[in-house]
């Protein structure tokens, strides 16, 4: 508990923890502009305008939902190192005619491994020793990423990553889809869905030199966003989830977001599963791991060679080479479940 508290206190708004909805693996949201995939996400995951605060521009001025209203949901899928976002917004004046940056922007920052610290070249502590131009290629947007997401986009890429890694906005590392029915300068309702891939290290030299963040259930990632509301070429407000402008270039000022388990409605009460590791190929020694879901009280392994075990995570030595059918049966208060894997385990 003390360890968790020390981690949480390093974030902005330490009293607050936001949640990331876990989509079932067989219901991954499609990035296609049909937002029905998001209907399964409970309203309790919605992060609304009431969580934002004007910083820098319009500081101290209350946010009027009749002027601008924003609702965001964040999701993930266990086994995919992606973060999914759904944005639903209303603006009384959508501004997106500028070919560069003077338009409505959803500015998103992600720190997948909560390493914290400045990640923009002008804030690098070595800037007095190394020229800014060199720092641009040596860590600008490397350990945390800032995406300027254009809302909506016209005649340009959907986002501008603030850093030296423009490839992180390209498929398969990201994808986006929009829905709206208004022109620049008009009011209206806007919807968007997209995913991005967080990186522990995003390298200027490309994805093959980069390290993708590993997203794991119940762990925390650092996220924050700002909404830049341009009205007639002038930024009217800078609405910020962290309540601290420094979030745009320093990952220590992001908010804590927890990667949630599946909601009960999407979980089986008991579901057998397992994985294995070949500990010694020459001696045919295999280590098995229970990976079942639910409250388990009994395990029974059938290794396919006539041998069995009732240990949760057994080690088994096969006497000959073959493709084996291994079966795990688990039991608990919710009943029994069986998982067979045909020829996953091979010895020689």
């Amino acid at each position: 508990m003390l360890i968790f508290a020390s981690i949480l206190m390093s974030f902005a708004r330490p009293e607050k923890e936001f949640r990331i909805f876990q989509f079932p693996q067989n219901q991954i949201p499609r990035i296609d502009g049909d937002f029905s995939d998001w209907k399964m996400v409970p309203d309790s995951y919605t992060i609304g305008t009431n969580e934002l605060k004007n910083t820098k521009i319009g500081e101290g001025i209350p946010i009027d939902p009749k002027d601008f209203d924003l609702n965001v949901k964040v999701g993930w899928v266990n086994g995919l190192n992606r973060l999914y976002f759904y944005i639903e917004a209303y603006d009384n004046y959508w501004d997106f005619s500028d070919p560069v940056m003077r338009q409505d922007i959803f500015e998103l920052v992600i720190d997948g491994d909560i390493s914290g610290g400045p990640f923009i070249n002008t804030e690098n502590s070595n800037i007095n020793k190394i020229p800014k131009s060199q720092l641009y290629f040596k860590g600008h947007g490397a350990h945390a990423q800032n995406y300027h997401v254009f809302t909506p986009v016209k005649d340009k890429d959907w986002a501008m990553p603030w850093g030296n890694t423009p490839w992180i906005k390209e498929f398969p590392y990201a994808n986006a889809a929009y829905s709206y029915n208004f022109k620049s300068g008009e009011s209206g309702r806007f919807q968007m869905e997209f995913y991005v891939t967080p990186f522990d290290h995003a390298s200027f030299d490309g994805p093959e030199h980069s390290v993708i963040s590993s997203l794991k259930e119940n762990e925390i990632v650092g996220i924050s966003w700002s909404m830049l509301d341009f009205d007639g070429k002038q930024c009217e407000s800078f609405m910020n989830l962290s309540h601290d402008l420094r979030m745009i270039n320093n990952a220590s000022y992001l908010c804590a977001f927890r990667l949630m388990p599946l909601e009960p409605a999407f979980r089986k009460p008991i579901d057998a599963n397992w994985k294995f590791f070949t500990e010694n190929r020459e001696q045919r020694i295999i280590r098995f791991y229970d990976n079942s879901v639910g409250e388990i009280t009994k395990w029974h392994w059938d290794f396919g060679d006539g041998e069995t075990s009732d240990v949760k995570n057994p080690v088994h030595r096969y006497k000959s080479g073959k493709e084996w059918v291994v079966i795990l049966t688990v039991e608990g208060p919710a009943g029994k479940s069986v998982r067979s894997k045909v020829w996953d385990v091979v010895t020689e």
Side-chain angles (χ1 to χ4, degrees):
M1 186 66 182
L2 291 176
I3 294 175
F4 168 75
S6 64
I7 292 174
L8 192 59
M9 288 300 292
S10 67
F11 289 94
R13 304 180 65 183
E15 78 290 349
K16 191 80 177 183
E17 181 180 290
F18 297 98
R19 299 187 302 159
I20 304 176
F21 175 81
Q22 184 178 153
F23 284 93
Q25 292 175 336
N26 62 350
Q27 294 176 278
I28 300 172
R30 291 173 57 90
I31 308 301
D32 57 3
D34 177 359
F35 308 107
S36 58
D37 296 339
W38 290 87
K39 290 182 178 179
M40 72 171 65
V41 183
D43 290 340
S44 59
Y45 283 84
T46 300
I47 303 170
T49 311
N50 62 304
E51 292 289 354
L52 306 179
K53 179 182 178 181
N54 269 327
T55 56
K56 184 181 178 181
I57 300 169
E59 186 170 0
I61 300 175
I63 300 169
D64 183 357
K66 294 180 181 179
D67 177 25
F68 190 92
D69 196 22
L70 176 70
N71 291 294
V72 181
K73 292 181 178 180
V74 189
W76 76 297
V77 180
N78 199 350
L80 285 181
N81 297 318
R82 297 174 176 175
L83 291 171
Y84 291 82
F85 292 83
Y86 170 70
I87 298 174
E88 184 174 334
Y90 169 81
D91 194 353
N92 67 346
Y93 188 106
W94 287 103
D95 191 344
F96 54 98
S97 59
D98 188 88
V100 192
M101 295 283 289
R102 296 181 65 83
Q103 76 152 87
D104 292 343
I105 292 174
F106 181 78
E107 186 172 0
L108 171 68
V109 180
I110 300 172
D111 181 12
D113 62 356
I114 57 174
S115 52
F119 56 90
I120 298 300
N121 58 346
T122 55
E123 303 296 320
N124 193 305
S125 59
N126 294 313
I127 197 167
N128 294 326
K129 299 179 180 179
I130 302 174
K132 183 177 70 172
S133 58
Q134 291 186 29
L135 289 173
Y136 184 88
F137 301 98
K138 292 182 176 291
H140 189 39
H143 74 270
Q145 293 80 50
N146 178 314
Y147 300 81
H148 284 58
V149 179
F150 300 120
T151 55
V153 72
K154 181 183 178 183
D155 301 333
K156 55 190 172 188
D157 277 359
W158 70 279
M160 185 280 292
W162 191 14
N164 61 10
T165 54
W167 54 268
I168 67 173
K169 69 172 184 283
E170 306 290 347
F171 187 84
Y173 305 105
N175 203 2
Y178 295 82
S179 178
Y180 63 95
N181 187 23
F182 48 79
K183 297 178 181 178
S184 185
E186 296 180 346
S187 64
R189 181 170 173 264
F190 167 82
Q191 290 176 283
M192 180 183 184
E193 62 182 347
F194 65 92
Y195 74 78
V196 295
T197 303
F199 288 85
D200 292 350
H201 178 74
S203 173
F204 171 78
D205 294 319
E208 64 275 15
H209 299 281
S210 303
V211 179
I212 294 175
S213 301
S214 180
L215 303 182
K216 298 179 180 179
E217 191 171 285
N218 279 317
E219 290 195 351
I220 288 176
V221 296
I223 302 176
S224 188
W225 54 77
S226 295
M227 190 69 210
L228 285 67
D229 184 19
F230 278 82
D231 285 8
K233 303 300 182 182
Q234 181 176 354
C235 190
E236 185 179 61
S237 57
F238 196 104
M239 297 166 276
N240 192 297
L241 185 65
S242 287
H243 300 180
D244 193 317
L245 178 63
R246 289 172 290 183
M247 61 137 285
I248 66 173
N249 55 38
N250 191 319
S252 295
Y253 299 97
L254 304 181
C255 297
F257 276 72
R258 187 172 296 277
L259 296 157
M260 297 300 293
L262 284 170
E263 290 288 313
F266 305 108
R267 290 200 306 259
K268 292 182 180 180
I270 186 169
D271 189 22
N273 203 355
W274 55 272
K275 56 186 179 179
F276 73 97
F277 173 74
T278 302
E279 195 165 276
N280 189 308
R281 183 177 177 184
E282 288 73 24
Q283 297 185 33
R284 306 186 187 93
I285 298 175
I286 309 294
R287 184 176 293 273
F288 293 90
Y289 298 93
D290 172 54
N291 202 28
S292 304
V293 173
E295 184 180 348
I296 312 298
T297 57
K298 292 182 180 180
W299 297 263
H300 180 77
W301 296 84
D302 182 340
F303 300 117
D305 62 350
E307 300 290 329
T308 63
S309 174
D310 294 329
V311 176
K312 180 179 179 180
N313 299 314
V315 177
H316 183 65
R317 181 174 182 178
Y318 288 92
K319 297 177 182 178
S320 62
K322 189 181 177 183
E323 300 91 354
W324 304 100
V325 178
V326 179
I327 304 171
L328 170 64
T329 302
V330 296
E331 295 183 49
K336 180 188 292 187
S337 181
V338 179
R339 179 61 62 94
S340 171
K341 298 190 180 184
V342 179
W343 295 356
D344 275 23
V345 178
V346 179
T347 57
E348 61 178 21

